[in-house]
Amino acid sequence: MSISTPGGPERRPTVVTTGKKPAAGRPTPGAKAGDGKSTGAGPRPAAGGKGKGPRKPIAPVKVSQGRSWGPIALFVAVGVLAASIIGYGAWAAFQGSKPWEKRAAGIDGVVDYREKEPELVKGGNHQQGAVKYTVTPPVAGPHNAAWQNCMGDVYDAPIANEHAVHSLEHGTVWIAYRPDLPADQVTKLKSKVQGQEKMMLSPYEGLDKPISLQAWGYQLKVDNADDSRIDEFIKTLRVNASVEGPTANCDQGITATGTTPRDGNQMPTQ
């Protein structure tokens, strides 16, 4: 059965396809405006969308922050410093608690004649005239009845061994130095002696080292006044090395210089 299209004025117009697409936004011929049947490009994209639809939400970027090493390094440095201070304090306390003889034996380069020559350090042996000493400068042995004044005295010329040894017996530390020691070195030695009871300083001819320190039965020789062992020797042996106790006199002694002992000096003997 066939159905024919009626002709006449009711006949639909024939649409001729030319192969061209209608312009965007223009209705296709035969389509009524607003009938929803337009074949145009369709609704326009939202402004700024560039025809790709709605934008996806942008995920926040997480910034990885590294460690702050400055405060950590400072904390570590402070910790190390504190530990060092505590450790040194403990070590110093331990050292200070040791008998002075042990501390003296621990001074690098010190010579202990109390151990080497016990007969030399007995003390109390007074005699007149010059005494021949086996150790230079002498550290013990027979000596003059008069002692050299040792109240922080600084002598600018050599003094008699016989008086100096008596001062050592009283607990004095005697610092002797070569006469050609530079002036700045002598000044440093003076600063360690002046005003200090049981200390004295004098030049000494024929030293094999620039500086020599003596206490009763002990000797230390060094090359310069900056040697830290000088202070260690003084701290350890001044007064302690006395064989007559800490009250042995250092004033009212011989104040004159010269290497010849003064016999017959009317002074109390100790």
Side-chain angles (χ1 to χ4, degrees), residues 5-37:
T5 303
E10 297 181 359
R11 188 176 181 181
R12 293 184 179 179
T14 302
V15 178
V16 180
T17 303
T18 62
K20 294 183 180 180
K21 293 182 181 180
R26 303 173 93 180
T28 303
K32 296 180 180 180
D35 65 358
K37 296 181 180 180

Side-chain angles (χ1 to χ4, degrees), residues 2 17 20 53 58 68 76 121 148 157 180 182 195:
S2 61
T17 303
K20 294 183 180 180
I58 300 174
S68 182
V76 172
V121 297
Q148 194 76 24
D180 62 352

Side-chain angles (χ1 to χ4, degrees), residues 154-156 175-193 201-213 221-227 230:
V154 173
Y155 297 100
D156 58 3
I175 303 179
Y177 62 91
R178 284 177 182 167
D180 62 352
L181 189 71
D184 64 318
Q185 292 277 292
V186 176
T187 299
K188 290 179 181 179
L189 295 177
K190 286 181 179 179
S191 69
K192 299 177 186 296
V193 172
L201 174 71
S202 70
Y204 198 98
E205 296 283 354
L207 288 179
D208 57 351
K209 284 277 189 176
I211 301 168
S212 182
L213 291 87
K221 295 182 178 182
V222 299
D223 292 318
N224 64 76
D226 298 309
D227 196 311
I230 294 176

Side-chain angles (χ1 to χ4, degrees), residues 132-157:
K132 185 176 181 179
Y133 292 100
T134 57
V135 179
T136 304
V139 297
H143 50 269
N144 195 276
W147 58 87
Q148 194 76 24
N149 212 68
C150 41
M151 297 293 291
D153 293 79
V154 173
Y155 297 100
D156 58 3

Side-chain angles (χ1 to χ4, degrees), residues 184-264:
D184 64 318
Q185 292 277 292
V186 176
T187 299
K188 290 179 181 179
L189 295 177
K190 286 181 179 179
S191 69
K192 299 177 186 296
V193 172
Q194 289 175 321
Q196 299 294 322
E197 184 178 355
K198 300 200 174 182
M199 290 288 299
M200 61 186 188
L201 174 71
S202 70
Y204 198 98
E205 296 283 354
L207 288 179
D208 57 351
K209 284 277 189 176
I211 301 168
S212 182
L213 291 87
Q214 288 67 231
W216 184 263
Y218 293 93
Q219 188 171 71
L220 174 68
K221 295 182 178 182
V222 299
D223 292 318
N224 64 76
D226 298 309
D227 196 311
S228 62
R229 293 175 297 169
I230 294 176
D231 291 336
E232 192 176 357
F233 187 96
I234 294 170
K235 180 180 179 181
T236 304
L237 294 168
R238 186 174 73 93
V239 180
N240 286 333
S242 172
V243 291
E244 296 188 356
T247 59
N249 287 345
C250 239
D251 59 351
Q252 301 178 13
I254 299 291
T255 57
T257 58
T259 58
T260 301
R262 285 158 173 75
D263 295 325

Side-chain angles (χ1 to χ4, degrees), residues 13-170:
T14 302
V15 178
V16 180
T17 303
T18 62
K20 294 183 180 180
K21 293 182 181 180
R26 303 173 93 180
T28 303
K32 296 180 180 180
D35 65 358
K37 296 181 180 180
S38 172
T39 60
R44 294 183 180 180
K50 296 185 179 179
K52 296 183 180 179
R55 290 182 176 178
K56 294 181 180 180
I58 300 174
V61 178
K62 294 183 179 181
V63 178
S64 178
Q65 296 185 2
R67 293 182 181 273
S68 182
W69 291 108
I72 295 175
L74 178 61
F75 178 79
V76 172
V78 170
V80 170
L81 178 61
S84 299
I85 292 173
I86 293 171
Y88 177 78
W91 177 83
F94 172 73
Q95 289 294 102
S97 67
K98 293 166 62 175
W100 67 265
E101 293 92 345
K102 292 280 189 183
R103 286 183 278 131
I107 300 173
D108 186 32
V110 74
V111 180
D112 183 356
Y113 287 98
R114 297 186 180 210
E115 183 178 347
K116 288 181 64 174
E117 300 182 38
E119 289 297 318
L120 179 67
V121 297
K122 285 184 176 180
N125 186 3
H126 297 167
Q127 70 180 52
Q128 294 188 342
V131 177
K132 185 176 181 179
Y133 292 100
T134 57
V135 179
T136 304
V139 297
H143 50 269
N144 195 276
W147 58 87
Q148 194 76 24
N149 212 68
C150 41
M151 297 293 291
D153 293 79
V154 173
Y155 297 100
D156 58 3
I159 58 178
N161 287 332
E162 293 78 6
H163 298 309
V165 171
H166 195 160
S167 299
L168 299 183
E169 189 182 47
H170 287 197

